[in-house]
Amino acid sequence: MKADKNAIILAHYYQTGDIQDIADFTGDSLALSQKAASNDAEIILFAGVKFMAETAKILAPVKKYFCLIWMQ
């Protein structure tokens, strides 16, 4: 489904191992926001904090962002 939708999953390293296992990239907030902006995926799913998706949206506003918020 990720390939069909041209999507990637980004997980903050504070996420549990099972979430990190399915992520395409794992890292800190800044690295994940930069990764969201520097790839060709059209849909970005963040498993982390809300501001990461907000920061990435500023860096690459034409992409679609979804965020699984586990803390504000």
Side-chain angles (χ1 to χ4, degrees):
M1 182 183 264
K2 286 188 321 181
D4 290 342
K5 299 290 185 181
N6 191 17
I8 61 170
I9 298 173
L10 306 176
H12 194 275
Y13 63 84
Y14 286 157
Q15 289 289 342
T16 59
D18 55 333
I19 299 296
Q20 290 184 26
D21 288 345
I22 64 167
D24 297 296
F25 302 99
T26 302
D28 66 20
S29 301
L30 178 59
L32 293 176
S33 294
Q34 291 170 333
K35 184 57 79 173
S38 67
N39 69 74
D40 64 352
E42 296 174 25
I43 297 174
I44 313 297
L45 174 62
F46 276 102
V49 292
K50 182 180 177 184
F51 74 86
M52 289 190 308
E54 293 169 343
T55 302
K57 185 70 172 174
I58 292 168
L59 296 174
V62 298
K63 298 182 180 193
K64 295 178 184 174
Y65 295 88
F66 300 92
C67 187
L68 168 63
I69 301 171
W70 61 276
M71 66 183 215
Q72 294 274 345

